[in-house]
Amino acid sequence: MKKEDEDIKVNRRKTDKVYFESTFIQQISDGIDFLRDESKEILSELDLNGIDEFDLEEFSKDTIDQIDDIVDDMSKFKSEIINSEDFPSEIKKQYRNAQMFLNRDEDYISRAKRKLDKLESEDKIDFYKTNVRVIELCDKASKVNKSNFDAYYLKGVALVNLEEYDDGIEEFINALSIKDDVEVWLAIANANRLNYEFEDAISVYDKVLDIKEDSYDALKGKAYTYFDWENYEKSNEFFEKANSKVYLDEESMKTWGECLEKLN
C-alpha cells in the first residue's frame, strides 16, 4: 500500500531544539547538530585572521583551464612526496599551514569543479576516474580547511555519481553543518530517490518546499519520486505543479506522458 504525501511538521518543545516528525529529517538534524558541536573545538584552534583574501581561483582560472590535467598530475606527484611516511611531521604541519595561508583549499575546489563540469560537457571522459579524482581533491581541500563547505558538497556529488548514495548523503550532511543550503537538501533528496528510498526522498523534498515553497526542482523531484514509486496520481499532480512554475524539459515531459498513460 502506497503512503500518501505528508507535510513535514515541526514540534517545538521547551528547549530550543527543533524536533521533526520525519525520522529521516530528524536524523539529519541531529547529525548536523553533532558536527557543529564537534567542529567548535577544531575551529577555535585555527587562527584564520591571517589568511590571505587573495582569490586564487579567479586569478588562475584562464591559465589553469588550459593545462588542468598537467597541473593535476604534478599535484598528485607532489602530494605523494609531501605525505610520504619518511617526510618529517613538523614540515608536513608547516606545509599544511602554508596551504591554508595561500587559500590552497580553494585551488583544490576549483579543480574539482572543473572536472565535474567536464563530465557534463565532454563525452570522451573517464566517468569513474574523474569522480574518484574529484573525491581526492575534495579530501585535500578539507584536510587544509575543515570548514570548506564546497569540499564536502562536491565530494557528495561525486559519490552520488558513483552510486555511493549513503556516503554521498553523509558528505552532504557535513556540508550542511557548515552552511544551511537549499541545494544541498535537494541533493540529499535526489540521492534518496536514486537509491529507491522514496519515503525519505519525499520527506526531504518537503523540507526544501518548506524553505522555498515554489521550488521547481523539488516539485519535479517529487513527481519523479512518485512515478518511480508507481503512485501515478501523485506523480501527475506534481508534474502539473512543476510545469506551472517552469515549463518542463523534454525528458520530464516524456516521463509525464508515460505517467498519464499509466493513469489511462
Side-chain angles (χ1 to χ4, degrees):
M1 182 177 180
K2 302 180 180 65
K3 297 187 177 181
E4 295 298 323
D5 182 29
E6 297 179 354
D7 292 332
I8 293 180
K9 296 180 180 178
V10 178
N11 296 323
R12 293 190 180 275
R13 303 183 182 178
K14 293 182 179 180
T15 64
D16 292 334
K17 185 173 176 61
V18 178
Y19 294 87
F20 297 88
E21 288 193 357
S22 167
T23 302
F24 184 68
I25 296 291
Q26 187 65 58
Q27 289 173 346
I28 293 177
S29 178
D30 291 343
I32 291 171
D33 289 342
F34 173 78
L35 288 166
R36 282 177 176 166
D37 290 341
E38 188 180 56
S39 66
K40 285 178 182 177
E41 182 177 350
I42 296 173
L43 292 175
S44 67
E45 295 176 357
L46 299 177
D47 180 12
L48 301 180
N49 295 325
I51 293 182
D52 195 348
E53 294 298 329
F54 177 70
D55 193 339
L56 182 58
E57 179 176 356
E58 289 301 320
F59 176 80
S60 59
K61 186 176 186 302
D62 293 337
T63 303
I64 295 180
D65 275 345
Q66 300 175 27
I67 57 173
D68 184 43
D69 291 335
I70 297 175
V71 171
D72 203 38
D73 288 340
M74 292 172 63
S75 176
K76 288 181 185 178
F77 177 72
K78 181 175 64 177
S79 180
E80 288 174 1
I81 296 175
I82 294 295
N83 292 303
S84 168
E85 293 296 326
D86 297 330
F87 216 77
S89 59
E90 186 60 31
I91 295 182
K92 287 183 184 180
K93 181 179 179 181
Q94 292 177 12
Y95 173 70
R96 176 182 175 279
N97 292 338
Q99 285 187 311
M100 182 176 291
F101 184 80
L102 294 170
N103 291 340
R104 188 60 195 278
D105 55 311
E106 291 302 330
D107 186 20
Y108 291 132
I109 292 304
S110 177
R111 278 190 274 157
K113 286 179 179 178
R114 282 196 296 275
K115 289 186 178 299
L116 287 174
D117 288 342
K118 285 182 179 181
L119 286 177
E120 297 180 2
S121 60
E122 298 181 16
D123 294 330
K124 296 181 180 180
I125 187 170
D126 192 311
F127 184 83
Y128 177 80
K129 287 184 178 179
T130 300
N131 280 292
V132 168
R133 183 55 181 159
V134 168
I135 292 169
E136 292 173 349
L137 288 167
C138 290
D139 283 341
K140 288 175 180 292
S142 61
K143 188 174 182 180
V144 172
N145 182 1
K146 293 183 181 298
S147 62
N148 191 308
F149 167 85
D150 287 325
Y152 302 105
Y153 174 64
L154 296 178
K155 183 178 178 180
V157 171
L159 285 166
V160 169
N161 285 345
L162 296 175
E163 300 183 7
E164 299 289 341
Y165 301 114
D166 291 338
D167 290 340
I169 289 173
E170 185 176 338
E171 294 302 325
F172 292 143
I173 293 173
N174 285 332
L176 287 172
S177 73
I178 298 170
K179 179 176 69 175
D180 195 1
D181 189 287
V182 69
E183 292 301 320
V184 182
W185 286 106
L186 274 170
I188 292 174
N190 292 335
N192 275 303
R193 177 175 67 81
L194 293 170
N195 200 30
Y196 303 102
E197 297 289 347
F198 300 132
E199 187 174 359
D200 290 341
I202 293 297
S203 294
V204 184
Y205 284 129
D206 283 339
K207 167 71 175 179
V208 172
L209 291 168
D210 187 49
I211 299 171
K212 185 180 179 182
E213 62 181 351
D214 61 345
S215 172
Y216 166 78
D217 290 322
L219 292 169
K220 189 173 75 169
K222 289 187 73 172
Y224 270 105
T225 303
Y226 281 122
F227 181 84
D228 293 339
W229 209 355
E230 299 182 0
N231 188 336
Y232 301 116
E233 289 184 4
K234 282 288 185 182
S235 179
N236 176 52
E237 175 187 340
F238 283 97
F239 272 128
E240 284 184 348
K241 288 183 178 180
N243 194 56
S244 70
K245 302 295 181 183
V246 179
Y247 286 125
L248 292 171
D249 55 272
E250 185 177 347
E251 182 180 349
S252 298
M253 287 294 291
K254 181 180 178 181
T255 303
W256 190 11
E258 293 175 9
C259 176
L260 293 174
E261 288 180 5
K262 295 287 186 180
L263 288 173
N264 294 330

